[in-house]
Amino acid sequence: MSFVDREADKLLGLIQEKEATIVLAAIGSDSKERAVLTQRKIPELDLQTEEPSREVAEYPIIWETNRASDLQSQTEVERWRDSLTPVRPKAHHSEKYFPLPYSTENSPSLKDVILLRGSTRRFAQKPVSFEALSTIIDCSTSHIPMDFLPDEQTLIEFYLIANDVTGLPAGSYHYDKSRNSLEQLNKGKSRHVSGYLCLEQLLFSDVSVVFFLMTNLSTVLRNMGNRGYRAAQFEAGVRAGKIYLSAYSLGVGASGSTFYDDAVTEFFSPHAEGMSTMIAVGVGVPAYRSRPGRILPQFQKRLKHASPIE
Ligand SMILES: Cc1cc2nc3c(=O)[nH]c(=O)nc-3n(C[C@H](O)[C@H](O)[C@H](O)COP(=O)(O)O)c2cc1C
């Protein structure tokens, strides 16, 4: 995420106030050797792209936030890269810890999981197993190689409401990575609370678990400036994507949700004092059978020549 926004946008020929570079991802190399830096001028790419949407909705605040968090020069990029410090949660001691059980379930290939994935629009009020929940937590809290996350660090803490998990008492929890355990904050059934916190949507009362991915925004902004807001949002988005994919790999459904910011913080406090939610994701048993997606014909030929995604 350390790049000069204007330069990247210009190189890609993006239309201002319509398109923006979010992140640069290096693929295809795991070489430890650093490439030699060159100052060669690269001409603007003239890429053929499809119109992203037929209808356009204007959200001026998105552009204000984007501008407020841009990096304008190489010096700013270097300064930002050096400012990266991980967010560590305050130490807490809970009465009760539930270690994540180890699961050995085989999962389908990533390609098949991607085709299965689609937000679940109706959940049956049925349980998921603690093993399945553990696999989802394990996959979605694993290391993500990003320039703003040094040494296995993270900006995101996992809080969750367990409505119906076989082998785990209903209640609210925080995932304590150092103990690989769920730390119980409160016990008791709270389907109505999970639905209420997710903007009073019944969908999120019916789920088995709702994850709230939170960060300490004042620490992030103090250490990483406005760009820290992007970093926290981005990391939460990637982790939410991993929740989706790991859930679907287990035959469980998922759906992202909006939420009442302050009410979520209050619900998980005092543990979550000073934390802000970046995204919420409900996970549960779908109430219907959905058809898997398919690879569009125009991409089938290209995929045959690419390496298999397993
Ligand atoms: C950040 C985010 C917030 C969302 N909020 C809601 C929500 O409040 N209510 C809801 O029913 N679905 C919500 N969703 C699910 C979207 O409606 C769903 O992802 C979208 O329809 C795209 O469908 P797909 O995930 O199947 O591609 C949200 C998804 C995301 C990523």
Side-chain angles (χ1 to χ4, degrees):
M1 206 169 263
S2 5
F3 60 91
V4 179
D5 297 65
R6 199 170 27 90
E7 298 287 334
D9 290 354
K10 219 169 118 219
L11 175 71
L12 295 169
L14 302 189
I15 308 162
Q16 283 211 349
E17 305 269 306
K18 242 185 150 185
E19 301 168 315
T21 311
I22 304 297
V23 71
L24 304 183
I27 55 170
S29 169
D30 55 4
S31 165
K32 291 268 181 283
E33 272 173 48
R34 287 190 141 228
V36 183
L37 287 174
T38 59
Q39 291 286 336
R40 196 156 47 91
K41 201 152 178 57
I42 308 172
E44 197 178 294
L45 304 172
D46 184 19
L47 302 169
Q48 293 296 313
T49 55
E50 288 178 27
E51 271 291 308
S53 311
R54 258 163 281 160
E55 285 172 38
V56 177
E58 301 287 346
Y59 294 105
I61 196 167
I62 290 182
W63 297 110
E64 280 168 40
T65 314
N66 188 261
R67 268 192 304 274
S69 59
D70 69 357
L71 296 175
Q72 299 192 352
S73 65
Q74 196 55 32
T75 323
E76 273 195 25
V77 165
E78 280 156 26
R79 210 180 302 143
W80 190 69
R81 210 185 283 132
D82 291 340
S83 75
L84 310 178
T85 32
V87 172
R88 289 204 184 81
K90 277 193 218 133
H92 287 273
H93 287 288
S94 164
E95 307 263 300
K96 250 191 160 150
Y97 287 93
F98 293 83
L100 295 196
Y102 185 68
S103 161
T104 51
E105 274 195 61
N106 285 332
S107 65
S109 72
L110 179 59
K111 179 181 121 242
D112 290 337
V113 174
I114 290 171
L115 293 176
L116 282 173
R117 182 221 168 277
S119 293
T120 302
R121 308 319 290 156
R122 251 182 318 117
F123 289 95
Q125 289 194 1
K126 288 189 178 159
V128 296
S129 67
F130 193 13
E131 283 77 15
L133 174 62
S134 299
T135 303
I136 295 170
I137 295 174
D138 190 41
C139 294
S140 48
T141 55
S142 62
H143 175 61
I144 306 173
M146 292 203 262
D147 55 2
F148 59 86
L149 292 180
D151 319 321
E152 307 274 322
Q153 297 293 342
T154 178
L155 302 178
I156 302 297
E157 291 295 315
F158 276 51
Y159 287 82
L160 57 104
I161 295 177
N163 285 328
D164 203 350
V165 178
T166 317
L168 181 74
S172 58
Y173 295 87
H174 165 253
Y175 173 57
D176 184 335
K177 201 168 165 60
S178 63
R179 294 173 186 247
N180 195 30
S181 299
L182 287 177
E183 162 181 16
Q184 192 176 59
L185 307 179
N186 273 303
K187 24 180 205 190
K189 287 227 180 256
S190 33
R191 281 195 184 279
H192 61 286
V193 179
S194 67
Y196 171 76
L197 293 177
C198 293
L199 230 60
E200 302 174 52
Q201 298 177 84
L202 282 179
L203 187 67
F204 300 95
S205 293
D206 291 341
V207 291
S208 314
V209 176
V210 187
F211 289 95
F212 295 90
L213 309 194
M214 303 180 85
T215 194
N216 188 321
L217 263 190
S218 15
T219 310
V220 167
L221 295 175
R222 191 174 57 240
N223 293 346
M224 300 166 75
N226 287 351
R227 187 75 149 201
Y229 184 65
R230 268 200 214 185
Q233 284 284 1
F234 187 78
E235 186 190 334
V238 174
R239 297 204 181 277
K242 282 171 170 266
I243 294 177
Y244 261 87
L245 290 180
S246 49
Y248 281 89
S249 80
L250 298 162
V252 174
S255 194
S257 182
T258 323
F259 45 86
Y260 287 127
D261 301 62
D262 294 347
V264 175
T265 303
E266 202 181 314
F267 177 73
F268 288 106
S269 286
H271 196 292
E273 241 159 43
M275 305 288 280
S276 303
T277 309
M278 299 287 101
I279 188 170
V281 186
V283 165
V285 180
Y288 58 96
R289 246 184 110 82
S290 56
R291 270 180 298 130
R294 64 191 173 87
I295 298 169
L296 297 174
Q298 63 264 43
F299 297 115
Q300 263 167 7
K301 215 162 91 196
R302 278 189 237 170
L303 254 182
K304 266 193 206 131
H305 299 294
S307 340
I309 310 171
E310 292 304 338

